[in-house]
Amino acid sequence: AVFAAVTQHTVDRLKAELAAERSRAVSVSAPMLGGSALYTLYECGGKIGIYDAKSGLLLEFVDVLVDTLPESDRLALKKGITLYSFSDLATLIEDFST
C-alpha cells in the first residue's frame, strides 16, 4: 500500500508508459528478479535515497530536495516506496525531478 501515498499523477504516468511499451512490443531489458523488490526510496538527509531493497544499503542519492515535493510524496518517502524494476525507478525519479 506504499504506492497509495504516491500522487495520482505518478500512478497515471506509470500506467501510460507501461501501456505504451506494451503496444510497441518492445522487449524491456530492465532487471527484475522474479517479482522481488529491487529498490526502496526513502527520504535521507533532505534528499531522496535509493536503497537496495534486499540489503538495505544506500546505493545513491537523487539530487531532489524532498521539501520541494508534494506532501503525499514526502509521506510516501518517509514510509518507503518499493520498486520492482529499473524502469519503474527511472520513471519515478524523472517524475520527482520535474
Side-chain angles (χ1 to χ4, degrees), residues 39-45 47-62:
Y39 309 101
T40 307
L41 304 183
Y42 289 104
E43 185 275 333
C44 181
K47 292 190 177 187
I48 299 170
I50 303 172
Y51 292 82
D52 178 85
K54 186 174 182 179
S55 69
L57 294 174
L58 177 64
L59 301 173
E60 191 173 343
F61 284 102
V62 179

Side-chain angles (χ1 to χ4, degrees), residues 4-96:
V6 177
T7 65
Q8 188 62 41
H9 170 74
T10 301
V11 173
D12 292 343
R13 185 175 180 172
L14 289 170
K15 286 180 183 177
E17 288 189 21
L18 180 58
E21 287 296 324
R22 285 183 181 156
S23 70
R24 287 193 299 260
V26 173
S27 174
V28 178
S29 62
M32 185 153 181
L33 306 174
S36 298
L38 295 178
Y39 309 101
T40 307
L41 304 183
Y42 289 104
E43 185 275 333
C44 181
K47 292 190 177 187
I48 299 170
I50 303 172
Y51 292 82
D52 178 85
K54 186 174 182 179
S55 69
L57 294 174
L58 177 64
L59 301 173
E60 191 173 343
F61 284 102
V62 179
D63 195 24
V64 172
L65 297 175
V66 173
D67 288 346
T68 65
L69 299 174
E71 183 179 0
S72 59
D73 289 341
R74 292 192 309 264
L75 292 172
L77 287 165
K78 284 185 183 196
K79 293 179 182 179
I81 300 172
T82 303
L83 301 167
Y84 295 87
S85 72
F86 180 79
S87 60
D88 288 346
L89 173 66
T91 299
L92 196 54
I93 290 172
E94 181 182 334
D95 186 55
F96 284 146

